[in-house]
Every structure is written in C-alpha cells, then in structure tokens.
Amino acid sequence: MGIDRLDARLLELLADAPRIGVLEASRRLGVARGTVQARLDRLKATGVIRGFGPDVDPAAIGYPVTAFATLEIRQGQGPDVRAHLATVPEVLELHTTTGHGDMLCRLVARSNADLQRVIDRVVGFEGIMRASTAIVMENPVPLRIVPLVRQAARLADEGPFPGAPPVAPPPHGPLHEPDDEAPE
C-alpha cells in the first residue's frame, strides 16, 4: 500500500497532535472533513495506521533498563518459543531474524539486577539454546516514523529512483473514487 502527499500530511499531523479531531485535521490540512475521515478509514483498514493508543515510556512506569537479546532456538521450536515469550510482560518486541541468531527481543527491566530475572525467565524454556544480551546505554534516535512517511510520499511522487515513473496513487478514497459506471 502506497501513500500520497495528503496521506503523509495527515500522518504527520496525527504524529504531532495525536488527539486531534477529524474536523480540526480537515481545517489544518485544508481539505473536506469527509476527505480526512475517508483517508483515516482507508489508512486504518490497510494497516498503515495500527492504532491510536498512548505512547507509553517504559522508564516512566518503572522499567528504565532496556536490552536486546539475540536468541538461538532449536529447530522446529519457533512457534513454542514465540508462545513462551508472549507470556513475559518485559518482552516488548520479538522479531525473527537472519544472521547470527534466530530471534531478537527488546526487553525492559526495573534495574540491571532485575534484568537478570527477566533473562532467566526468557531463556528458561527448553526451545532456547543460547542467548546473547546487550544493554542499551542511551537511545539517541528513538523510534520515529514521520521521516519515513515523508520519504514514502516523496517516492510516490518521484518514483523509487531518479528517472523512474511515479508510483500510482492509492486506488480508493475521496480523491480516487472507483468508477461506478465501469464495465464489469
């Protein structure tokens, strides 16, 4: 699913003002309220927008230590390991990877000593053969999406590389309504 400039402007607005209403968003973007609502509905339906929940800082709720654990798992144990890790509240993310390990987890803990408890719980499962953990010292570039949104919109306008044709705009929405009179 691609996005166009209006989608990008809407996503950036939502990133800057997550509690903004549809009417105010339409005013700031200079488009009709129905356009904003249709764009929001499409962006949610296609998975571009995954939610509107609060962005919670683990450190602010008592988990200031962040670590990444690379896990090597036993062949055929992936589903069981994933199920096990889903039961550990301090596992914030889990990715399957290529390279040295099979899975990469983002973990949080209340202290370095508490991190040992978390690691013991993570690796205390038969399907995990080995773990390597790195403690985060600082996070100078926190998770950010707006620069990527801007680039995606620019690429939609310019094409993926210089001289390439532009990527087609999203097929539906108030600015791209399907042709009801098209032959079947």
Side-chain angles (χ1 to χ4, degrees), residues 1 21 25 35 49 52 59 73 76 87 104 106 109 129 133 141 146 152 156 164 171-172 174-175 181:
M1 148 96 213
T35 299
I49 295 177
F52 295 96
I73 65 170
T87 69
L104 179 68
R106 180 164 65 123
M129 298 185 329
T133 306
V141 181
V146 170
H172 301 292
L175 301 180
E181 297 176 17

Side-chain angles (χ1 to χ4, degrees), residues 92-104:
L92 299 185
E93 291 182 89
L94 174 65
H95 303 269
T96 57
T97 60
T98 62
H100 178 66
D102 302 306
M103 295 181 177
L104 179 68

Side-chain angles (χ1 to χ4, degrees), residues 157-178:
D157 288 344
E158 299 173 5
F161 51 88
V167 177
H172 301 292
L175 301 180
H176 306 285
E177 289 298 332

Side-chain angles (χ1 to χ4, degrees), residues 29-92:
L29 294 171
V31 298
R33 183 196 156 291
T35 299
V36 170
Q37 187 63 60
R39 293 293 180 115
L40 279 173
D41 292 345
R42 181 177 48 77
L43 291 168
K44 287 189 291 187
T46 57
V48 173
I49 295 177
R50 295 186 294 195
F52 295 96
D55 184 12
V56 177
D57 179 0
I61 61 170
Y63 292 85
V65 177
T66 299
F68 289 92
T70 301
L71 307 177
E72 293 179 31
I73 65 170
R74 235 179 221 98
Q75 287 284 4
Q77 294 290 306
D80 293 337
V81 171
R82 286 191 287 271
H84 162 67
L85 295 172
T87 69
V88 180
E90 295 89 352
V91 174
L92 299 185

Side-chain angles (χ1 to χ4, degrees), residues 19-20 84-86 89 107 111 113 132 142 166 170:
R19 297 178 57 158
I20 194 167
H84 162 67
L85 295 172
L107 311 171
S111 64
S132 173

